[in-house]
Amino acid sequence: MNSQSNQRGQWASNIGFILAAAGSAVGLGNIWKFPYLAGANGGGAFVVLYLLMIVVIGFVIMLGEMAIGRKTQLSAVGAYKKLNEKWAFAGIIGVIVGFCILSFYSVIGGWVLNYIGKYVTGGIVGSEAGAYFGSFISSTTAPIVWHFIFMAMCCIIVLKGVSGGIEKASKVMMPALFILLIGVVIRSVTLDGAMEGIKFFLKPDFSKVTISTVMAAMGQAFFSLSLGMGAIITYGSYLGKEENLEKNALIIPAIDTGVAMLAGLAVLPAVFAFGFEPTAGPSLMFITLPSVFDAMPFGQFFGILFFVLILFAALTSAISLLEVVVSFVIDIFKIERKKATIGLATIIFLVGIPCSLANGPMSDFLIMGYNFFDFMSFLAENVLMPLAALSMCIFIGYVWGVDNAIEEITSGGRYKFVFKKFFILMIRYVAPVLIFFIWLNAIGVLPAIAKVFGIQL
Ligand code: PHE
C-alpha cells in the first residue's frame, strides 16, 4: 500500500495540501463568477444564501470527498471501486466533469493571458472594452493560441508531480494571489462612490430572492469548492493518515469563501464608483472592469495586478482538473505520469478548440440549443456535477456507511470529530435532498413543473 502511494506521490506537508486544495477551490469561480452572480442576483441576499450553502453542504461534502480519497489512497474512480465495485460510476462521472470543465476553463484561462498581454502593452480603452472583448473571443486563431499556452502551463506543472509540481506552484501562487487581491480591494473600496457598491454587496435585500437565486447560490458553492468532480478525492488521496481531515475541511472552504468575498469587494465597489451596472453577467470581468481600470488613476497597473491574480487563481484550479484526469489514468491503466499528462493535456486542448470557436465561427453549431462552449459547461456543472455529489452522499450515507467515513475522518479515533452529528444529518438527509433539487432545476424538470402550476421560480 505504502510503496504504491509513494509512487503516486504525496504532499510534502499538510500546509502544502491546504494550499493546493485551496488553489483548486479558488479560481475563476471566485473572481470571475462570484462577483457577477452576486451582481446579477441582487447583491447581499445572494451572498447570504451562498454563505449558507457553504456552511450547510460545502463543508460536509468536502469532508466526505477527502475521506474517500485518503482512505483508499486512490483517485476518484479507483477509490470508489476499491470501496465498492458497483460504485465506480460515481468516480467516472467526476472524471468526465473534470475533463469537460477543463476544456472550456482553459479557453477562459487563455482570455486572461491575452488580457495580461494587452495590459502590459498599454491597456484597454474604456469605450472600446466591449468591442475589444467581442472581437477577440470571436476570432479564430488568437484565442486558440492563448488556450494552448494556458494548457501548456498546466501541463508543465502537472508533469512535475504532486509535491514537486502542484504543491510548489500552489505555495507560490496562492500567497501571491492573496497579496495582489488585497491590493486591488484597497484601491477599489477607497474610490469615491465605492460605498454604494459595498452596501449593494453586503446589505441583503431578501425581496430579490427567488428559487433560482437559491439554486444559483447552491450551484456556485459546489463549483467554487471544486466539489462533485473528484478533485478533492484525488488531492485527499495524497494525504497522510496522520492529518486532521475535519480541520482541513473547515479551513479550505474558509479560504475559498474569504477570497470570493474579497473578489466581490474588489469588483463591485469599483463598478459602482464609475457608474456601471453590476448586472452585466459574465462580461463583468472582461468588459466592465477594463472600463473601470481605464477610468481610474494607475488603471493600467491595477489591470495588470488584477489579471495576473486571476491567472494564478485559474492555473491552480486548472492543474487540479488536469490532475483528476491524469491520476485516473495513472491509477487505472498504470501509465507513466509523463505520458498520461502530455497525452491528456493534448486531448483536452483539442476538445477546447470547438469551445473556443463556439464564440465565433462555430456559434451556429448548437447542441440542445447551446453552443459547444455553453453545452460543455451545462453538461459538466448542471447535469453531471450534482449527480456525482448526490452519488457521493448516498455512497457515504448508506453504502460505505457513515461509521467507516467517521473512522477515516478521525484517523481511527485519534482526532475528536466536533461536527460529527451535523455531518451525519447532512450527508444522509439534507444534502442529498437539496442536491437532488438543484439537479431537477438544472435539467429543466422543476421549471417545467412550476410552469404547469403557474409558479414563478
Ligand atoms: N473551483 C474552481 C473555481 O472556482 C473551479 C474548479 C472546479 C476547479 C472543479 C477544480 C475542480 O474556479
Side-chain angles (χ1 to χ4, degrees):
M1 180 77 213
N2 240 334
S3 69
Q4 188 198 356
S5 61
N6 287 341
Q7 235 178 46
R8 312 177 62 238
Q10 277 222 339
W11 306 111
S13 62
N14 192 50
I15 183 76
F17 163 73
I18 290 181
L19 287 174
S24 170
V26 171
L28 292 167
N30 304 60
I31 300 167
W32 169 58
K33 257 185 150 176
F34 181 72
Y36 89 65
L37 282 175
N41 285 289
F46 176 85
V47 175
V48 170
L49 286 173
Y50 175 77
L51 294 178
L52 203 70
M53 293 303 163
I54 297 276
V55 174
V56 174
I57 45 180
F59 156 69
V60 168
I61 296 198
M62 177 154 287
L63 190 52
E65 289 204 10
M66 266 182 213
I68 292 177
R70 194 187 53 185
K71 168 77 192 171
T72 56
Q73 305 276 297
L74 287 168
S75 58
V77 181
Y80 275 105
K81 210 166 157 194
K82 185 164 176 185
L83 295 174
N84 187 320
E85 279 281 334
K86 290 197 195 114
W87 281 73
F89 76 89
I92 293 175
I93 302 176
V95 173
I96 298 174
V97 177
F99 182 97
C100 295
I101 293 189
L102 187 52
S103 68
F104 68 84
Y105 205 87
S106 168
V107 172
I108 309 179
W111 299 352
V112 173
L113 278 173
N114 171 68
Y115 267 61
I116 294 175
K118 190 78 188 156
Y119 270 100
V120 171
T121 55
I124 296 169
V125 178
S127 57
E128 291 164 10
Y132 175 74
F133 180 62
S135 82
F136 169 68
I137 67 167
S138 63
S139 59
T140 307
T141 35
I144 295 178
V145 172
W146 289 108
H147 157 54
F148 176 83
I149 298 173
F150 184 84
M151 205 59 216
M153 292 167 104
C154 294
C155 186
I156 291 169
I157 298 172
V158 172
L159 268 179
K160 296 208 164 124
V162 176
S163 63
I166 300 174
E167 184 169 350
K168 271 199 186 140
S170 307
K171 273 184 156 167
V172 177
M173 284 194 269
M174 289 305 289
L177 173 158
F178 194 72
I179 294 167
L180 296 177
L181 185 55
I182 298 281
V184 181
V185 170
I186 292 175
R187 175 65 283 197
S188 178
V189 298
T190 51
L191 288 165
D192 274 345
M195 205 51 210
E196 210 41 43
I198 299 175
K199 269 198 210 138
F200 171 80
F201 183 58
L202 296 179
K203 225 172 132 192
D205 171 4
F206 286 104
S207 67
K208 301 249 173 63
V209 172
T210 61
I211 293 194
S212 9
T213 327
V214 180
M215 299 290 172
M218 217 184 312
Q220 172 63 7
F222 270 92
F223 184 81
S224 189
L225 289 178
S226 300
L227 299 175
M229 47 212 98
I232 303 297
I233 298 185
T234 305
Y235 275 17
S237 76
Y238 305 131
L239 204 51
K241 290 287 175 196
E242 65 290 348
E243 308 301 349
N244 184 343
L245 295 191
E246 185 184 27
K247 203 170 90 199
N248 286 344
L250 288 168
I251 294 175
I252 294 159
I255 298 178
D256 187 64
T257 308
V259 172
M261 296 297 286
L262 286 173
L265 286 176
V267 174
L268 292 167
V271 167
F272 273 78
F274 289 97
F276 291 97
E277 284 300 321
T279 48
S283 62
L284 191 65
M285 188 170 95
F286 291 105
I287 299 175
T288 313
L289 273 189
S291 310
V292 169
F293 291 136
D294 191 34
M296 74 167 52
F298 305 108
Q300 182 184 358
F301 172 72
F302 283 100
I304 297 176
L305 282 196
F306 191 76
F307 282 99
V308 168
L309 93 84
I310 295 166
L311 175 70
F312 287 171
L315 263 179
T316 48
S317 296
I319 56 182
S320 77
L321 289 164
L322 185 56
E323 179 64 20
V324 167
V325 192
V326 165
S327 63
F328 155 70
V329 171
I330 295 178
D331 283 349
I332 301 286
F333 301 107
K334 312 274 177 269
I335 294 177
E336 261 176 63
R337 172 169 286 271
K338 192 170 160 199
K339 282 193 192 138
T341 308
I342 296 178
L344 288 162
T346 309
I347 299 173
I348 295 171
F349 164 69
L350 293 175
V351 177
I353 292 177
C355 290
S356 177
L357 296 176
N359 298 299
M362 270 177 63
S363 60
D364 291 337
F365 174 74
L366 301 181
I367 308 175
M368 292 165 61
Y370 295 100
N371 70 31
F372 195 75
F373 187 111
D374 294 340
F375 176 74
M376 286 305 248
S377 143
F378 169 76
L379 179 71
E381 286 168 46
N382 300 1
V383 181
L384 296 176
M385 188 186 82
L387 266 189
L390 179 61
S391 311
M392 195 213 71
C393 293
I394 296 172
F395 180 76
I396 291 192
Y398 303 95
V399 182
W400 184 38
V402 272
D403 291 341
N404 283 324
I406 290 168
E407 170 83 13
E408 183 60 37
I409 291 166
T410 57
S411 298
R414 174 167 172 174
Y415 293 108
K416 191 169 160 27
F417 188 179
V418 182
F419 292 103
K420 185 159 92 182
K421 290 213 172 91
F422 178 74
F423 176 78
I424 299 173
L425 175 74
M426 291 296 149
I427 205 116
R428 296 196 69 164
Y429 309 105
V430 180
V433 173
L434 279 176
I435 298 167
F436 184 60
F437 278 105
I438 322 186
W439 190 68
L440 285 185
N441 182 59
I443 61 170
V445 174
L446 269 193
I449 296 176
K451 210 167 151 196
V452 171
F453 290 98
I455 302 167
Q456 173 80 28
L457 280 188

